[in-house]
Amino acid sequence: MGKYFGTDGFRGEANVGLTADHAYTVGRFLGWYYGELKRQKGDTSAPKVVIGKDTRRSSYMFEYSLVGGLVASGADAYLLHVTTTPSVAYVARVDDFDCGVMITASHNPFYDNGIKIINGNGEKMDEDTIALIESYIDGHLEAFGKKWDTIPFATKDAIGQTVDYVSGRNRYIGYLISLGLYSFKGMKVGLDCANGASWNVAKSVFDALGATTYVIGDAPNGTNINNNAGSTHIEGLQKFVVEKGLDVGFAFDGDADRCLCVDERGNVVSGDHILYVYGKYMKDRGELVNNTVVTTVMSNFGLYKAFDEAGIGYAKTAVGDKYVYEYMTKNNCILGGEQSGHIIFSKYATTGDGILTSIKMMEVMLARKKKMSELISPLVIYPQVLVNIRVTDKTKAQNDPEVRAKVDEVAQSLGNTGRILVRESGTEPVVRVMVEAEDKATCQELVDSVIRVIKERGYEAH
């Protein structure tokens, strides 16, 4: 993980942790770097960078700052305006862009923002390029075999330009519609757009596919993104689905790369449920390549038991859709994702795509002629207790022999009736202790026993 860029971009409070100057600097680097890559190959054409943003008030500031840096370095900036992260990935890939940038802080509150950088294949940018950007921000860039105290400005006709590219977003909407294998006619569907990037995309897709569409969270004002709305506050959609008598509901996050569902009874359908429902659907059709669904270590123990019963194999990666996608690419897997609703269908997309996920779940309902509650019923989600403890040293706390012995003891006592997971936070001085078991009291008791040893060994930070 980098100094500025985490697993999901450069994120921070707008003009506090992430400033307009940062955005300008990133733009300057990207415009110059991709121009230099072209020049090394004898190509003098301007680099092309496509940019999208979510509905945060600060997204305009970051967009203009980023564009200023890009064109100053000689790149042409193509603006999709308010759109989803997966749409930027799609357009970058199919329209031959050098890279794409999405301005978003995803599910965070409105006062945060972020910069996600996507390569020309529509994938998250590689670590080597991210490291170069961070070096440039810190003023000690080494690239192309030399040190750069400053990078040159473009001059005369080499200065870049901006291009209104809303047509790219419209083509993405058309692409999503083309993936609907069944008519949604007769289906009453609720959508919660989180007052975010999907507000002007999702309803168009569902309407075009024939659904009777009911929408909430579709009135962004710059400060209400994710505010008691969307996949991180799904209780609003639960109530909405029941009150309106809808067949199903889908909730997206701020940049619409996540989707959670609500069944017709108002029950939450998590990312684990989605992986089970679609994995079993693919398995039954003989289409689950390598018979493997890719999960993260945070997926529920119940999901693995259900996969075992269905004869479906699985892999576990570190937390982060980036790691899920990397594993899928290396091992030729077509379905993977996270409990939080980042689901990747690699046949159709290079990133988690909330609207695509909702279309694929509709497909299963219509193909099987079943309600969502029936599709998820074989999956029993185990109770879970997760406790975070602030520590003086994450590595020492986890590797302490007495802590390890207690963790092993808990794992042995659970056997095949649950599991324990101890891992460090990627961003805080915190160790997370999580237990899943058949009842909540057992979870709490076992978590407490591990936390007690960590404290007794003197690792707790005060």
Side-chain angles (χ1 to χ4, degrees):
M1 205 177 301
K3 178 178 177 182
Y4 301 106
F5 286 82
T7 56
D8 212 19
F10 186 167
R11 197 176 293 184
E13 185 176 341
N15 275 348
V16 180
L18 173 64
T19 68
D21 286 344
H22 285 131
Y24 175 76
T25 303
V26 170
R28 280 278 284 136
F29 175 85
L30 291 175
W32 167 79
Y33 179 71
Y34 282 100
E36 193 62 29
L37 283 177
K38 282 175 173 282
R39 285 186 285 276
Q40 301 266 331
K41 297 172 184 173
D43 182 352
T44 58
S45 64
K48 291 166 51 184
V49 179
V50 63
I51 301 170
K53 65 175 184 281
D54 70 16
T55 56
R56 291 161 214 274
R57 179 173 292 182
S58 62
S59 290
Y60 292 91
M61 171 183 74
F62 289 119
E63 178 185 50
Y64 297 151
S65 300
L66 189 69
V67 168
L70 284 165
V71 299
S73 288
D76 293 342
Y78 289 69
L79 305 183
L80 294 173
H81 306 289
V82 172
T83 193
T84 66
T85 291
S87 75
V88 177
Y90 172 79
V91 171
R93 176 167 55 90
V94 301
D95 286 354
D96 198 28
F97 280 92
D98 292 288
C99 72
V101 183
M102 179 66 184
I103 299 161
T104 183
S106 190
H107 57 279
N108 285 27
F110 84 92
Y111 47 78
D112 288 342
N113 216 323
I115 298 172
K116 292 185 183 183
I117 303 178
I118 294 161
N119 69 21
N121 295 320
E123 303 160 338
K124 290 189 176 178
M125 188 59 76
D126 64 275
E127 296 294 337
D128 289 345
T129 305
I130 292 296
L132 289 174
I133 299 170
E134 295 191 334
S135 295
Y136 178 61
I137 292 171
D138 285 341
H140 48 75
L141 175 64
E142 288 188 41
F144 304 107
K146 60 181 277 193
K147 292 183 179 178
W148 302 82
D149 295 324
T150 59
I151 57 177
F153 284 99
T155 57
K156 299 188 173 66
D157 62 350
I159 293 172
Q161 60 184 336
T162 58
V163 180
D164 188 298
Y165 208 58
V166 72
S167 60
R169 184 183 70 200
N170 293 339
R171 271 202 312 288
Y172 166 74
I173 292 172
Y175 173 65
L176 288 178
I177 293 167
S178 77
L179 298 178
L181 302 184
Y182 295 85
S183 168
F184 296 173
K185 192 170 175 59
M187 297 291 286
K188 294 190 290 182
V189 181
L191 303 175
D192 184 346
C193 296
N195 296 309
S198 65
W199 83 273
N200 58 0
V201 177
K203 187 176 190 301
S204 304
V205 173
F206 274 79
D207 286 351
L209 288 168
T212 304
T213 315
Y214 300 76
V215 190
I216 56 176
D218 62 338
N221 63 14
T223 61
N224 62 358
I225 187 171
N226 301 315
N227 186 17
N228 294 318
S231 61
T232 48
H233 300 280
I234 202 167
E235 56 279 359
L237 182 62
Q238 290 177 272
K239 186 179 175 192
F240 187 68
V241 166
V242 172
E243 284 179 353
K244 295 284 186 184
L246 306 184
D247 295 303
V248 67
F250 299 104
F252 311 114
D253 64 340
D255 65 333
D257 62 354
R258 293 188 196 188
C259 172
L260 294 181
C261 314
V262 172
D263 71 15
E264 77 284 356
R265 298 172 180 170
N267 298 311
V268 176
V269 179
S270 71
D272 283 348
H273 289 97
I274 293 168
L275 290 174
Y276 171 74
V277 169
Y278 202 76
K280 192 164 188 313
Y281 173 65
M282 295 292 281
K283 165 89 171 175
D284 292 348
R285 292 161 63 96
E287 296 174 357
L288 187 61
V289 179
N290 292 336
N291 192 40
T292 301
V293 176
V294 184
T295 70
T296 76
V297 293
M298 288 306 291
S299 278
N300 191 272
F301 182 71
L303 175 64
Y304 301 120
K305 290 204 80 166
F307 276 157
D308 287 340
E309 286 166 18
I312 295 171
Y314 46 84
K316 299 180 187 180
T317 74
V319 175
D321 60 324
K322 171 184 176 178
Y323 302 114
V324 172
Y325 181 72
E326 282 176 2
Y327 186 96
M328 291 173 71
T329 304
K330 284 177 187 168
N331 296 280
N332 193 31
C333 300
I334 62 168
L335 177 64
E338 297 188 281
Q339 199 176 46
S340 60
H342 276 125
I343 310 295
I344 301 172
F345 302 87
S346 64
K347 183 177 177 181
Y348 308 105
T350 53
T351 182
D353 187 329
I355 302 172
L356 171 60
T357 300
S358 63
I359 292 170
K360 301 314 278 183
M361 292 304 283
M362 290 292 292
E363 178 185 327
V364 182
M365 290 174 68
L366 292 162
R368 295 218 191 264
K369 297 182 171 58
K370 287 187 176 180
K371 296 176 179 178
M372 182 66 78
S373 62
E374 294 175 289
L375 293 173
I376 66 173
S377 61
L379 171 57
V380 178
I381 295 295
Y382 277 50
Q384 179 189 94
V385 170
L386 171 66
V387 174
N388 296 329
I389 178 169
R390 295 184 76 82
V391 293
T392 52
D393 188 310
K394 293 183 285 191
T395 305
K396 283 184 179 175
Q398 285 185 94
N399 294 333
D400 181 275
E402 290 190 29
V403 173
R404 291 295 337 148
K406 174 54 73 173
V407 171
D408 291 342
E409 180 189 314
V410 168
Q412 200 167 359
S413 72
L414 286 167
N416 65 356
T417 66
R419 67 171 182 141
I420 181 168
L421 177 67
V422 180
R423 69 184 188 93
E424 63 183 60
S425 164
T427 55
E428 302 173 274
V430 162
V431 168
R432 310 189 197 282
V433 181
M434 186 269 285
V435 169
E436 288 166 345
E438 291 173 328
D439 64 87
K440 195 132 193 172
T442 300
C443 294
Q444 191 66 60
E445 179 189 333
L446 294 175
V447 166
D448 289 346
S449 71
V450 174
I451 295 289
R452 193 159 49 245
V453 175
I454 292 173
K455 288 179 177 178
E456 287 169 358
R457 297 292 290 162
Y459 294 110
E460 186 178 19
H462 297 285

